[in-house]
Amino acid sequence: MTRKVQKLAQELFEQTHEQFPEITYLGIQEHPEQKNRFWINVSGLLSDDREIQLQERSGVLATQMLIDEGYSFGLFVRPPHHS
């Protein structure tokens, strides 16, 4: 994974995090089948409505990155891990 991809993923997370401070960055992974597609893994306890809002916001940002940079990103929300 290139530094460019990591930088873009971090930018997407930070821009989304501004409106959704309850999410935490977990990492990024390459899509197993699609080239130039990446999943940004985040954790957070969100209501269904709040998660829909998060996906809509991150989708707008990710679409612009795809147009501008040629990389596709999606946010994958995981519930918080409890020990």
Side-chain angles (χ1 to χ4, degrees), residues 51-66:
E51 186 166 347
I52 289 168
Q53 292 169 358
L54 177 136
Q55 293 298 346
E56 288 173 350
R57 172 67 178 145
S58 65
V60 168
L61 297 169
T63 299
Q64 194 60 51
M65 283 186 171
L66 177 60

Side-chain angles (χ1 to χ4, degrees), residues 7 10 12 16-17 37 40 42 59 65 80-81:
K7 180 178 180 272
Q10 191 64 38
L12 179 59
T16 304
H17 187 254
R37 171 98 171 126
I40 301 168
V42 300
M65 283 186 171
H81 178 72

Side-chain angles (χ1 to χ4, degrees), residues 15-59:
Q15 290 176 19
T16 304
H17 187 254
E18 287 176 9
Q19 285 186 289
F20 301 89
E22 62 269 41
I23 62 171
T24 303
Y25 182 82
L26 298 176
I28 182 172
Q29 68 188 72
E30 294 181 48
H31 190 285
E33 298 171 358
Q34 296 176 357
K35 185 178 180 180
N36 292 335
R37 171 98 171 126
F38 301 90
W39 290 328
I40 301 168
N41 296 302
V42 300
S43 177
L45 193 54
L46 304 164
S47 68
D48 290 343
D49 287 343
R50 190 86 169 134
E51 186 166 347
I52 289 168
Q53 292 169 358
L54 177 136
Q55 293 298 346
E56 288 173 350
R57 172 67 178 145
S58 65

